[in-house]
Amino acid sequence: MIRHVLPLLALTLTAAGAAEAPGPVDTAAISNDAVKLAGLVRFVAESCPGTKPDYARLREVVERLGTDLAALSHGEALIRSAAYTQAYQKDPEASCRRAQERFGPGGTVVPGLIGPG
């Protein structure tokens, strides 16, 4: 499931990183990539020993995706992100490994989103 986030997330982050300052965040808009990341971070926090999310980095990435982090903590967005968490839990060992490869300190997608616990 993590691989579905990669292309759009990488493109979005590259484009967002090119701007001097982030634009105003529309709190009504909830990026599907932000929902996926919230599910991934929850999974890592619960299921990947020795690893923990960097919540400040998560906030930064989610805001660059045009989503208010608080919007991910309730309603449909919370339900959808929980579904991603469950999907990652089907093969926790492989999911933890992929999360580390893509989102760890030397990650290929969002470096530093997760780190040593």
Side-chain angles (χ1 to χ4, degrees):
M1 291 298 159
I2 295 172
R3 73 187 105 135
H4 297 290
V5 177
L6 302 180
L8 182 56
L9 181 60
L11 258 178
T12 303
L13 291 175
T14 302
E20 286 291 321
V25 175
D26 179 1
T27 58
I30 299 177
S31 161
N32 192 51
D33 286 335
V35 169
K36 290 176 183 181
L37 283 175
L40 172 74
V41 164
R42 185 181 307 108
F43 164 76
V44 167
E46 294 173 357
S47 303
C48 299
T51 304
K52 70 177 186 175
D54 179 339
Y55 293 104
R57 181 82 168 118
L58 175 64
R59 177 181 299 280
E60 174 188 328
V61 172
V62 166
E63 287 176 355
R64 283 186 176 188
L65 290 169
T67 299
D68 179 20
L69 186 60
L72 299 172
S73 65
H74 60 278
E76 182 186 344
L78 177 61
I79 293 168
R80 287 176 31 221
S81 72
Y84 284 105
T85 300
Q86 288 179 337
Y88 300 131
Q89 289 171 339
K90 289 180 181 177
D91 186 353
E93 186 176 313
S95 294
C96 287
R97 185 181 65 253
R98 283 191 302 269
Q100 186 65 33
E101 291 168 358
R102 295 173 180 151
F103 302 98
T108 58
V109 179
V110 182
L113 184 62
I114 61 173

